[in-house]
mmCIF file of all heavy atoms in Angstrom:
data_model
loop_
_atom_site.group_PDB
_atom_site.id
_atom_site.type_symbol
_atom_site.label_atom_id
_atom_site.label_comp_id
_atom_site.label_asym_id
_atom_site.label_seq_id
_atom_site.Cartn_x
_atom_site.Cartn_y
_atom_site.Cartn_z
ATOM 1 N N THR A 1426 190.479 229.292 227.631
ATOM 2 C CA THR A 1426 191.379 229.475 226.498
ATOM 3 C C THR A 1426 191.781 230.933 226.328
ATOM 4 O O THR A 1426 192.969 231.241 226.132
ATOM 5 C CB THR A 1426 190.698 228.980 225.194
ATOM 6 O OG1 THR A 1426 190.389 227.582 225.344
ATOM 7 C CG2 THR A 1426 191.630 229.155 224.008
ATOM 8 N N LEU A 1427 190.835 231.836 226.411
ATOM 9 C CA LEU A 1427 191.156 233.262 226.315
ATOM 10 C C LEU A 1427 192.013 233.705 227.493
ATOM 11 O O LEU A 1427 192.931 234.526 227.327
ATOM 12 C CB LEU A 1427 189.858 234.085 226.253
ATOM 13 C CG LEU A 1427 188.983 233.884 225.005
ATOM 14 C CD1 LEU A 1427 187.742 234.739 225.091
ATOM 15 C CD2 LEU A 1427 189.761 234.217 223.739
ATOM 16 N N TYR A 1428 191.723 233.188 228.680
ATOM 17 C CA TYR A 1428 192.486 233.567 229.863
ATOM 18 C C TYR A 1428 193.948 233.145 229.730
ATOM 19 O O TYR A 1428 194.856 233.926 230.012
ATOM 20 C CB TYR A 1428 191.859 232.939 231.098
ATOM 21 C CG TYR A 1428 192.552 233.341 232.394
ATOM 22 C CD1 TYR A 1428 192.187 234.506 233.048
ATOM 23 C CD2 TYR A 1428 193.522 232.535 232.955
ATOM 24 C CE1 TYR A 1428 192.810 234.888 234.235
ATOM 25 C CE2 TYR A 1428 194.141 232.893 234.151
ATOM 26 C CZ TYR A 1428 193.783 234.082 234.776
ATOM 27 O OH TYR A 1428 194.412 234.434 235.942
ATOM 28 N N PHE A 1429 194.155 231.929 229.282
ATOM 29 C CA PHE A 1429 195.532 231.435 229.154
ATOM 30 C C PHE A 1429 196.345 232.282 228.169
ATOM 31 O O PHE A 1429 197.494 232.631 228.441
ATOM 32 C CB PHE A 1429 195.539 229.979 228.687
ATOM 33 C CG PHE A 1429 195.011 229.010 229.712
ATOM 34 C CD1 PHE A 1429 194.481 227.782 229.312
ATOM 35 C CD2 PHE A 1429 195.025 229.298 231.069
ATOM 36 C CE1 PHE A 1429 194.005 226.869 230.223
ATOM 37 C CE2 PHE A 1429 194.536 228.395 232.004
ATOM 38 C CZ PHE A 1429 194.015 227.190 231.563
ATOM 39 N N GLN A 1430 195.751 232.605 227.036
ATOM 40 C CA GLN A 1430 196.515 233.262 225.981
ATOM 41 C C GLN A 1430 196.539 234.781 226.101
ATOM 42 O O GLN A 1430 197.547 235.403 225.766
ATOM 43 C CB GLN A 1430 195.995 232.838 224.600
ATOM 44 C CG GLN A 1430 196.194 231.360 224.337
ATOM 45 C CD GLN A 1430 195.954 230.994 222.886
ATOM 46 O OE1 GLN A 1430 196.432 231.641 221.977
ATOM 47 N NE2 GLN A 1430 195.218 229.910 222.666
ATOM 48 N N GLN A 1431 195.456 235.387 226.592
ATOM 49 C CA GLN A 1431 195.410 236.834 226.645
ATOM 50 C C GLN A 1431 195.858 237.409 227.967
ATOM 51 O O GLN A 1431 196.387 238.520 228.019
ATOM 52 C CB GLN A 1431 193.996 237.320 226.310
ATOM 53 C CG GLN A 1431 193.576 237.018 224.881
ATOM 54 C CD GLN A 1431 192.220 237.586 224.535
ATOM 55 O OE1 GLN A 1431 191.558 238.259 225.350
ATOM 56 N NE2 GLN A 1431 191.752 237.322 223.313
ATOM 57 N N VAL A 1432 195.644 236.662 229.069
ATOM 58 C CA VAL A 1432 196.026 237.149 230.376
ATOM 59 C C VAL A 1432 197.386 236.576 230.810
ATOM 60 O O VAL A 1432 198.299 237.309 231.171
ATOM 61 C CB VAL A 1432 194.968 236.846 231.436
ATOM 62 C CG1 VAL A 1432 195.410 237.265 232.824
ATOM 63 C CG2 VAL A 1432 193.657 237.544 231.079
ATOM 64 N N LEU A 1433 197.497 235.246 230.737
ATOM 65 C CA LEU A 1433 198.759 234.606 231.138
ATOM 66 C C LEU A 1433 199.792 234.663 230.033
ATOM 67 O O LEU A 1433 200.969 234.294 230.281
ATOM 68 C CB LEU A 1433 198.506 233.151 231.540
ATOM 69 C CG LEU A 1433 197.536 232.903 232.709
ATOM 70 C CD1 LEU A 1433 197.456 231.432 233.039
ATOM 71 C CD2 LEU A 1433 197.936 233.721 233.932
ATOM 72 N N GLN A 1434 199.391 235.076 228.831
ATOM 73 C CA GLN A 1434 200.286 235.216 227.696
ATOM 74 C C GLN A 1434 200.943 233.901 227.292
ATOM 75 O O GLN A 1434 202.105 233.852 226.905
ATOM 76 C CB GLN A 1434 201.371 236.275 227.995
ATOM 77 C CG GLN A 1434 200.841 237.687 228.218
ATOM 78 C CD GLN A 1434 200.149 238.239 226.974
ATOM 79 O OE1 GLN A 1434 200.740 238.279 225.920
ATOM 80 N NE2 GLN A 1434 198.896 238.666 227.138
ATOM 81 N N TRP A 1435 200.191 232.818 227.393
ATOM 82 C CA TRP A 1435 200.682 231.541 226.936
ATOM 83 C C TRP A 1435 200.616 231.471 225.411
ATOM 84 O O TRP A 1435 199.724 232.091 224.787
ATOM 85 C CB TRP A 1435 199.829 230.406 227.500
ATOM 86 C CG TRP A 1435 200.020 230.164 228.970
ATOM 87 C CD1 TRP A 1435 200.747 230.891 229.847
ATOM 88 C CD2 TRP A 1435 199.413 229.099 229.714
ATOM 89 N NE1 TRP A 1435 200.653 230.366 231.118
ATOM 90 C CE2 TRP A 1435 199.845 229.260 231.057
ATOM 91 C CE3 TRP A 1435 198.578 228.054 229.413
ATOM 92 C CZ2 TRP A 1435 199.448 228.397 232.069
ATOM 93 C CZ3 TRP A 1435 198.185 227.193 230.402
ATOM 94 C CH2 TRP A 1435 198.620 227.357 231.739
ATOM 95 N N SER A 1436 201.494 230.719 224.817
ATOM 96 C CA SER A 1436 201.404 230.460 223.376
ATOM 97 C C SER A 1436 200.321 229.421 223.133
ATOM 98 O O SER A 1436 199.801 228.789 224.073
ATOM 99 C CB SER A 1436 202.747 229.934 222.847
ATOM 100 O OG SER A 1436 202.997 228.636 223.375
ATOM 101 N N ALA A 1437 199.973 229.226 221.863
ATOM 102 C CA ALA A 1437 198.974 228.215 221.532
ATOM 103 C C ALA A 1437 199.434 226.825 221.975
ATOM 104 O O ALA A 1437 198.642 226.016 222.492
ATOM 105 C CB ALA A 1437 198.703 228.216 220.032
ATOM 106 N N LEU A 1438 200.727 226.540 221.830
ATOM 107 C CA LEU A 1438 201.237 225.226 222.209
ATOM 108 C C LEU A 1438 201.224 225.058 223.741
ATOM 109 O O LEU A 1438 200.871 223.987 224.249
ATOM 110 C CB LEU A 1438 202.652 225.046 221.696
ATOM 111 C CG LEU A 1438 203.233 223.617 221.798
ATOM 112 C CD1 LEU A 1438 202.359 222.631 221.053
ATOM 113 C CD2 LEU A 1438 204.663 223.592 221.246
ATOM 114 N N GLN A 1439 201.554 226.120 224.469
ATOM 115 C CA GLN A 1439 201.493 226.059 225.931
ATOM 116 C C GLN A 1439 200.052 225.831 226.394
ATOM 117 O O GLN A 1439 199.806 225.059 227.327
ATOM 118 C CB GLN A 1439 202.018 227.361 226.540
ATOM 119 C CG GLN A 1439 203.530 227.501 226.501
ATOM 120 C CD GLN A 1439 203.987 228.855 227.025
ATOM 121 O OE1 GLN A 1439 203.497 229.908 226.592
ATOM 122 N NE2 GLN A 1439 204.914 228.839 227.949
ATOM 123 N N THR A 1440 199.121 226.492 225.736
ATOM 124 C CA THR A 1440 197.717 226.304 226.076
ATOM 125 C C THR A 1440 197.291 224.850 225.820
ATOM 126 O O THR A 1440 196.573 224.255 226.620
ATOM 127 C CB THR A 1440 196.838 227.248 225.246
ATOM 128 O OG1 THR A 1440 197.236 228.607 225.500
ATOM 129 C CG2 THR A 1440 195.365 227.097 225.606
ATOM 130 N N ALA A 1441 197.763 224.298 224.708
ATOM 131 C CA ALA A 1441 197.452 222.917 224.400
ATOM 132 C C ALA A 1441 197.983 221.967 225.470
ATOM 133 O O ALA A 1441 197.267 221.058 225.920
ATOM 134 C CB ALA A 1441 198.045 222.541 223.039
ATOM 135 N N PHE A 1442 199.203 222.198 225.920
ATOM 136 C CA PHE A 1442 199.768 221.361 226.974
ATOM 137 C C PHE A 1442 199.036 221.579 228.302
ATOM 138 O O PHE A 1442 198.985 220.673 229.139
ATOM 139 C CB PHE A 1442 201.266 221.628 227.135
ATOM 140 C CG PHE A 1442 202.105 220.923 226.117
ATOM 141 C CD1 PHE A 1442 202.883 221.637 225.209
ATOM 142 C CD2 PHE A 1442 202.140 219.546 226.061
ATOM 143 C CE1 PHE A 1442 203.652 220.978 224.260
ATOM 144 C CE2 PHE A 1442 202.901 218.872 225.130
ATOM 145 C CZ PHE A 1442 203.664 219.606 224.217
ATOM 146 N N GLY A 1443 198.484 222.773 228.484
ATOM 147 C CA GLY A 1443 197.694 223.027 229.676
ATOM 148 C C GLY A 1443 196.471 222.130 229.748
ATOM 149 O O GLY A 1443 196.053 221.692 230.828
ATOM 150 N N PHE A 1444 195.878 221.822 228.569
ATOM 151 C CA PHE A 1444 194.715 220.949 228.518
ATOM 152 C C PHE A 1444 195.090 219.468 228.378
ATOM 153 O O PHE A 1444 194.203 218.603 228.444
ATOM 154 C CB PHE A 1444 193.821 221.337 227.326
ATOM 155 C CG PHE A 1444 193.021 222.584 227.543
ATOM 156 C CD1 PHE A 1444 193.404 223.798 226.991
ATOM 157 C CD2 PHE A 1444 191.858 222.554 228.291
ATOM 158 C CE1 PHE A 1444 192.658 224.947 227.183
ATOM 159 C CE2 PHE A 1444 191.094 223.702 228.495
ATOM 160 C CZ PHE A 1444 191.498 224.896 227.930
ATOM 161 N N LEU A 1445 196.367 219.171 228.164
ATOM 162 C CA LEU A 1445 196.792 217.794 227.885
ATOM 163 C C LEU A 1445 196.445 216.806 228.977
ATOM 164 O O LEU A 1445 195.991 215.688 228.662
ATOM 165 C CB LEU A 1445 198.309 217.781 227.617
ATOM 166 C CG LEU A 1445 198.903 216.399 227.298
ATOM 167 C CD1 LEU A 1445 198.265 215.838 226.036
ATOM 168 C CD2 LEU A 1445 200.418 216.521 227.108
ATOM 169 N N PRO A 1446 196.625 217.122 230.271
ATOM 170 C CA PRO A 1446 196.274 216.134 231.295
ATOM 171 C C PRO A 1446 194.825 215.685 231.213
ATOM 172 O O PRO A 1446 194.515 214.517 231.439
ATOM 173 C CB PRO A 1446 196.566 216.860 232.618
ATOM 174 C CG PRO A 1446 197.606 217.877 232.265
ATOM 175 C CD PRO A 1446 197.242 218.314 230.876
ATOM 176 N N ALA A 1447 193.938 216.615 230.865
ATOM 177 C CA ALA A 1447 192.526 216.265 230.760
ATOM 178 C C ALA A 1447 192.308 215.244 229.649
ATOM 179 O O ALA A 1447 191.612 214.260 229.811
ATOM 180 C CB ALA A 1447 191.688 217.516 230.523
ATOM 181 N N ALA A 1448 192.933 215.501 228.498
ATOM 182 C CA ALA A 1448 192.786 214.578 227.364
ATOM 183 C C ALA A 1448 193.379 213.217 227.686
ATOM 184 O O ALA A 1448 192.811 212.174 227.342
ATOM 185 C CB ALA A 1448 193.468 215.174 226.139
ATOM 186 N N ALA A 1449 194.517 213.200 228.370
ATOM 187 C CA ALA A 1449 195.184 211.931 228.686
ATOM 188 C C ALA A 1449 194.338 211.078 229.624
ATOM 189 O O ALA A 1449 194.205 209.865 229.419
ATOM 190 C CB ALA A 1449 196.557 212.216 229.319
ATOM 191 N N ILE A 1450 193.739 211.690 230.627
ATOM 192 C CA ILE A 1450 192.947 210.925 231.590
ATOM 193 C C ILE A 1450 191.710 210.342 230.932
ATOM 194 O O ILE A 1450 191.330 209.193 231.174
ATOM 195 C CB ILE A 1450 192.588 211.796 232.796
ATOM 196 C CG1 ILE A 1450 193.834 212.019 233.666
ATOM 197 C CG2 ILE A 1450 191.487 211.151 233.628
ATOM 198 C CD1 ILE A 1450 193.595 212.872 234.869
ATOM 199 N N VAL A 1451 191.030 211.147 230.090
ATOM 200 C CA VAL A 1451 189.845 210.630 229.392
ATOM 201 C C VAL A 1451 190.193 209.411 228.565
ATOM 202 O O VAL A 1451 189.483 208.408 228.544
ATOM 203 C CB VAL A 1451 189.228 211.742 228.512
ATOM 204 C CG1 VAL A 1451 188.149 211.152 227.596
ATOM 205 C CG2 VAL A 1451 188.631 212.842 229.385
ATOM 206 N N THR A 1452 191.339 209.482 227.849
ATOM 207 C CA THR A 1452 191.751 208.376 226.986
ATOM 208 C C THR A 1452 192.139 207.141 227.783
ATOM 209 O O THR A 1452 191.763 206.020 227.442
ATOM 210 C CB THR A 1452 192.924 208.816 226.104
ATOM 211 O OG1 THR A 1452 192.514 209.966 225.340
ATOM 212 C CG2 THR A 1452 193.339 207.699 225.153
ATOM 213 N N LEU A 1453 192.874 207.358 228.869
ATOM 214 C CA LEU A 1453 193.390 206.227 229.644
ATOM 215 C C LEU A 1453 192.327 205.591 230.535
ATOM 216 O O LEU A 1453 192.291 204.380 230.725
ATOM 217 C CB LEU A 1453 194.580 206.678 230.491
ATOM 218 C CG LEU A 1453 195.837 207.108 229.704
ATOM 219 C CD1 LEU A 1453 196.890 207.648 230.662
ATOM 220 C CD2 LEU A 1453 196.401 205.941 228.913
ATOM 221 N N ALA A 1454 191.464 206.428 231.124
ATOM 222 C CA ALA A 1454 190.479 205.910 232.081
ATOM 223 C C ALA A 1454 189.217 205.436 231.397
ATOM 224 O O ALA A 1454 188.449 204.656 231.975
ATOM 225 C CB ALA A 1454 190.143 206.986 233.112
ATOM 226 N N GLY A 1455 188.968 205.912 230.180
ATOM 227 C CA GLY A 1455 187.718 205.559 229.494
ATOM 228 C C GLY A 1455 187.419 204.083 229.395
ATOM 229 O O GLY A 1455 186.258 203.683 229.605
ATOM 230 N N PRO A 1456 188.406 203.214 229.089
ATOM 231 C CA PRO A 1456 188.101 201.776 228.967
ATOM 232 C C PRO A 1456 187.554 201.150 230.243
ATOM 233 O O PRO A 1456 186.940 200.077 230.192
ATOM 234 C CB PRO A 1456 189.466 201.176 228.586
ATOM 235 C CG PRO A 1456 190.192 202.269 227.901
ATOM 236 C CD PRO A 1456 189.785 203.516 228.629
ATOM 237 N N ARG A 1457 187.775 201.791 231.393
ATOM 238 C CA ARG A 1457 187.259 201.239 232.631
ATOM 239 C C ARG A 1457 185.795 201.577 232.905
ATOM 240 O O ARG A 1457 185.162 201.009 233.791
ATOM 241 C CB ARG A 1457 188.113 201.737 233.813
ATOM 242 C CG ARG A 1457 189.567 201.331 233.751
ATOM 243 C CD ARG A 1457 189.710 199.832 233.904
ATOM 244 N NE ARG A 1457 189.078 199.327 235.121
ATOM 245 C CZ ARG A 1457 188.878 198.037 235.376
ATOM 246 N NH1 ARG A 1457 189.237 197.132 234.491
ATOM 247 N NH2 ARG A 1457 188.315 197.656 236.507
ATOM 248 N N ILE A 1458 185.263 202.537 232.126
ATOM 249 C CA ILE A 1458 183.920 203.038 232.408
ATOM 250 C C ILE A 1458 182.846 201.949 232.305
ATOM 251 O O ILE A 1458 181.960 201.880 233.146
ATOM 252 C CB ILE A 1458 183.606 204.231 231.492
ATOM 253 C CG1 ILE A 1458 184.456 205.429 231.913
ATOM 254 C CG2 ILE A 1458 182.138 204.607 231.554
ATOM 255 C CD1 ILE A 1458 184.300 205.836 233.362
ATOM 256 N N PRO A 1459 182.873 201.066 231.268
ATOM 257 C CA PRO A 1459 181.842 200.018 231.247
ATOM 258 C C PRO A 1459 181.798 199.180 232.519
ATOM 259 O O PRO A 1459 180.717 198.782 232.989
ATOM 260 C CB PRO A 1459 182.228 199.175 230.022
ATOM 261 C CG PRO A 1459 182.943 200.143 229.120
ATOM 262 C CD PRO A 1459 183.710 201.028 230.065
ATOM 263 N N HIS A 1460 182.975 198.918 233.102
ATOM 264 C CA HIS A 1460 183.035 198.128 234.334
ATOM 265 C C HIS A 1460 182.443 198.922 235.513
ATOM 266 O O HIS A 1460 181.746 198.366 236.352
ATOM 267 C CB HIS A 1460 184.484 197.726 234.636
ATOM 268 C CG HIS A 1460 185.146 196.960 233.539
ATOM 269 N ND1 HIS A 1460 184.830 195.645 233.273
ATOM 270 C CD2 HIS A 1460 186.072 197.312 232.615
ATOM 271 C CE1 HIS A 1460 185.549 195.215 232.252
ATOM 272 N NE2 HIS A 1460 186.318 196.215 231.834
ATOM 273 N N LEU A 1461 182.725 200.231 235.550
ATOM 274 C CA LEU A 1461 182.175 201.054 236.623
ATOM 275 C C LEU A 1461 180.661 201.164 236.499
ATOM 276 O O LEU A 1461 179.949 201.141 237.501
ATOM 277 C CB LEU A 1461 182.806 202.467 236.576
ATOM 278 C CG LEU A 1461 184.290 202.550 236.961
ATOM 279 C CD1 LEU A 1461 184.793 203.979 236.784
ATOM 280 C CD2 LEU A 1461 184.492 202.107 238.411
#
Side-chain angles (χ1 to χ4, degrees):
T1426 299
L1427 294 179
Y1428 183 85
F1429 291 156
Q1430 295 192 46
Q1431 295 184 1
V1432 176
L1433 300 184
Q1434 297 297 305
W1435 288 6
S1436 68
L1438 191 58
Q1439 286 176 308
T1440 302
F1442 279 117
F1444 285 101
L1445 181 60
I1450 287 179
V1451 170
T1452 302
L1453 294 175
R1457 298 294 305 169
I1458 290 304
H1460 303 287
L1461 291 176

